[in-house]
Amino acid sequence: MTRLFRTVAAVAAALVVTMTTLTAHAQTPPNVLIVGQIAEPQSLDPHTVTATNDFRILVNVYDGLVRFKDGTLEVEPALAESWTVSEDGKTYTFKLRQGVKFHDGSDFNAEAVKFNFDRMLREDHPFYETGPFPLSFNFSSIEAVNALDDHTVEFKLSEAFAPFLSNLAYPTGLIVSPAAVQEHGKDYGRNPSGTGPFRFVEWLSNQRVVVEQNPDYWGGAAGLEAVVFRPITDPNTRVAEMMAGGIDVMVEVPPDNLATFAQDENFAVVEQAGPHVWFAILNTKSGPFADKKVRQAANYAVNKQTLVDDVLQGTATVAAGPIPPAFNWVESSVEPYPYDKEKAKALLAEAGVEAPELTFYVTEGGSGMLDPVTMGAAIQADLQAVGFKVDIKTYEWNTFLGRVNPGLEGNADMAEMAWMTNDPDTVPYLTLRTDAMPDKGGFNSGYYSNPKVDELLEQARRATDQAERGRLYGEVQAIVHEDAPWLFVANWKQNAVTTSAVQGFKLQPSFLLDLRGVTKQ
């Protein structure tokens, strides 16, 4: 309790910072890191959320069986010390670390692992109703999870599934405390318990999430005493707080401010490439975008190079399709749609539509959304220049997700979106398959359906040879590019800025925020 009191007191002191001037840097508490997040988290239950904004907190509170190796998307041991895979690729057996406990004092063991995956995948599980679990799609190939003994767990798959280990390393694979779920039920997301390097202290809505060092962490105690995650939705406010010293780390820096921070010796700018795609979902079921020619016209109408160069200040490249170029082993020769206003007008004429009216959902901010209000206005202007009439409706991030994820039918014709991913399977499988429609629990909010794409995605999931997977995903890229169910816009190089007092801070290709090795002078 004394330790907890000290942590909360330090946090309270950190948040009493005032911005009387932007040149006099305030002093945040020593060894307490204040992180400026882009939005309020939805939940601290890793199985129920989808946003990288939330995952950046959760990977510091929880561990998975495996994790991404520092600086890569390669998988390494975490709560599992080792594993074996059967010759047919359908059975994975994990040997678990011994002596690990959850933050609530309960034991981590094979039964806890089984509880986690059964909770997500079995509708008859007593705690299945604590969901929904939107990314449980990642584990749809699991037929059974068996606790062979306290420290050995076996996964039986329905078929060989190449992305399985990578999906286990993604935050949906983080392991929660069964005892805490049993105690808190549907309120577990406000009362989290993991095995990670930091343990939960408090969550004050729209103010802060506080975690403190777990001194008993199996990987060795983290260097920081505590971390405070502050939701600061407005990017200009985040910048002002950073300049004033009210926060120590700012993620997703507005492009216009990067040069300013880079030239100031009080700050350090950190950048890292990773698999990201920024796009606009198009409603292929009803309205103007039900016609492929109209969707293609939109892609020709928007000057994406100007968006990347001017709005995003060169921090991204123009996207060609749903699979980011960071997966350089995917065999794709697809080039981005060129900016061609006359081609766009010709396609609209061929489609027989004149001045098509669109409702465009735009968010104020969100994980990887890259200055979404400015981007939305620029896209609106380009579309209107070729004859579209575009009405923008803007929402706060979590409200926005609540409108987009259930599907656009009857509400909107297009909506901004961004995904950070860990495997070329993830984004198309969750957002472009026929069986990933919103009413089936998926994220295909634009209702795109192409049986050939469905077939290729299933083949690529079963392929164990990376070259074969690369060929299949290249075919997916080509077909989706032609069908244009999205307005393909940008692939981003993520960034963050820290004060000079922060040491050991890194960004990861996974877009996650691993703070184990961070210290603050």
Side-chain angles (χ1 to χ4, degrees):
M1 289 299 293
T2 301
R3 175 184 172 82
L4 182 63
F5 177 81
R6 288 200 311 269
T7 300
V8 175
V11 169
L15 298 178
V16 176
V17 173
T18 59
M19 293 187 296
T20 53
T21 72
L22 294 182
T23 55
H25 289 270
Q27 186 65 47
T28 56
N31 225 28
V32 175
L33 191 75
I34 317 295
V35 180
Q37 291 269 91
I38 59 175
E40 174 83 345
Q42 287 185 306
S43 171
L44 298 181
D45 180 346
H47 303 160
T48 65
V49 295
T50 63
T52 301
N53 181 68
D54 299 17
F55 292 156
R56 287 177 176 136
I57 302 173
L58 299 176
V59 293
N60 293 288
V61 175
Y62 299 93
D63 298 300
L65 294 177
V66 297
R67 64 189 177 199
F68 294 120
K69 187 177 180 180
D70 184 34
T72 76
L73 289 174
E74 299 173 21
V75 170
E76 68 174 8
L79 288 175
E81 292 184 314
S82 63
W83 59 88
T84 58
V85 185
S86 63
E87 287 189 12
D88 64 3
K90 294 168 64 175
T91 302
Y92 287 71
T93 306
F94 294 87
K95 289 292 184 182
L96 307 180
R97 293 186 186 277
Q98 300 186 28
V100 177
K101 289 187 178 292
F102 290 101
H103 300 151
D104 58 15
S106 61
D107 291 331
F108 165 75
N109 53 32
E111 286 293 344
V113 176
K114 177 177 172 59
F115 177 98
N116 272 254
F117 289 91
D118 285 353
R119 174 191 178 224
M120 280 191 280
L121 298 171
R122 285 181 42 196
E123 294 185 12
D124 62 347
H125 190 270
F127 291 91
Y128 183 79
E129 80 281 357
T130 58
F133 309 111
L135 294 185
S136 60
F137 264 112
N138 285 340
F139 304 116
S140 59
S141 62
I142 295 175
E143 282 191 335
V145 183
N146 303 311
L148 302 184
D149 59 43
D150 276 356
H151 307 295
T152 310
V153 64
E154 174 190 75
F155 288 77
K156 289 285 190 181
L157 309 187
S158 58
E159 57 189 0
F161 177 43
F164 183 61
L165 285 173
S166 181
N167 285 356
L168 285 177
Y170 201 65
T172 312
L174 295 171
I175 303 298
V176 309
S177 163
V181 173
Q182 290 162 0
E183 178 181 356
H184 297 289
K186 290 188 176 181
D187 293 328
Y188 172 77
R190 305 285 302 203
N191 300 275
S193 178
T195 61
F198 295 92
R199 58 193 183 194
F200 175 71
V201 175
E202 68 172 357
W203 178 2
L204 295 182
S205 295
N206 298 307
Q207 295 184 52
R208 61 185 180 263
V209 172
V210 182
V211 299
E212 69 174 359
Q213 181 198 80
N214 173 13
D216 301 318
Y217 184 54
W218 59 266
L224 294 164
E225 182 177 347
V227 183
V228 183
F229 297 92
R230 291 184 54 198
I232 308 173
T233 302
D234 179 65
N236 293 324
T237 304
R238 284 203 308 279
V239 170
E241 287 262 18
M242 192 74 206
M243 296 293 290
I247 55 179
D248 303 305
V249 176
M250 175 182 175
V251 295
E252 302 192 25
V253 184
D256 286 344
N257 301 105
L258 272 178
T260 301
F261 284 119
Q263 294 165 9
D264 190 328
E265 63 181 10
N266 293 303
F267 302 102
V269 171
V270 185
E271 294 182 309
Q272 170 68 57
H276 165 278
V277 60
W278 197 105
F279 58 99
I281 306 165
L282 306 182
N283 183 348
T284 68
K285 187 175 185 179
S286 59
F289 289 133
D291 189 323
K292 181 170 77 171
K293 291 181 179 179
V294 180
R295 301 195 298 269
Q296 291 176 333
N299 272 281
Y300 282 112
V302 174
N303 191 339
K304 295 136 181 188
Q305 193 64 55
T306 294
L307 288 175
V308 164
D309 292 342
D310 295 347
V311 178
L312 302 181
Q313 303 288 307
T315 60
T317 57
V318 176
I323 298 174
F327 298 115
N328 56 12
W329 50 272
V330 171
E331 294 182 16
S332 175
S333 59
V334 173
E335 295 293 332
Y337 278 86
Y339 175 50
D340 190 334
K341 291 173 63 176
E342 296 310 313
K343 178 72 171 177
K345 292 176 182 177
L347 283 166
L348 290 178
E350 288 178 30
V353 296
E354 185 175 348
E357 296 183 0
L358 306 175
T359 297
F360 183 15
Y361 280 176
V362 168
T363 179
E364 294 174 351
S367 303
M369 289 305 304
L370 311 184
D371 204 357
V373 173
T374 306
M375 294 277 279
I379 290 169
Q380 177 192 43
D382 282 351
L383 291 174
Q384 292 189 155
V386 301
F388 288 95
K389 293 183 178 180
V390 184
D391 177 31
I392 285 181
K393 295 185 182 299
T394 305
Y395 302 96
E396 174 274 332
W397 176 237
N398 288 324
T399 303
F400 175 83
L401 291 178
R403 289 181 172 271
V404 174
N405 288 346
L408 299 183
E409 185 179 19
N411 298 304
D413 301 286
M414 57 191 298
E416 295 178 338
M417 189 52 64
W419 279 76
M420 293 91 144
T421 183
N422 61 303
D423 190 275
D425 168 80
T426 306
V427 172
Y429 196 81
L430 294 178
T431 63
L432 293 170
R433 274 186 317 126
T434 303
D435 284 342
M437 300 295 179
D439 62 353
K440 297 181 180 180
F443 295 90
N444 190 347
S445 298
Y447 317 101
Y448 172 67
S449 178
N450 185 315
K452 183 61 177 176
V453 169
D454 297 342
E455 178 187 341
L456 289 167
L457 289 173
E458 294 297 342
Q459 290 176 7
R461 286 193 135 203
R462 293 191 296 268
T464 55
D465 178 68
Q466 182 166 289
E468 175 66 6
R469 294 186 76 211
R471 184 188 65 78
L472 293 167
Y473 289 125
E475 289 189 50
V476 170
Q477 183 90 323
I479 295 170
V480 174
H481 172 89
E482 169 69 18
D483 285 348
W486 297 349
L487 179 67
F488 309 110
V489 180
N491 302 118
W492 175 55
K493 181 165 66 175
Q494 61 176 320
N495 58 55
V497 63
T498 74
T499 65
S500 56
V502 177
Q503 303 295 316
F505 180 87
K506 297 180 182 179
L507 290 172
Q508 300 292 333
S510 62
F511 293 91
L512 304 176
L513 208 58
D514 182 354
L515 300 177
R516 286 175 296 161
V518 175
T519 58
K520 183 177 144 189
Q521 296 177 349

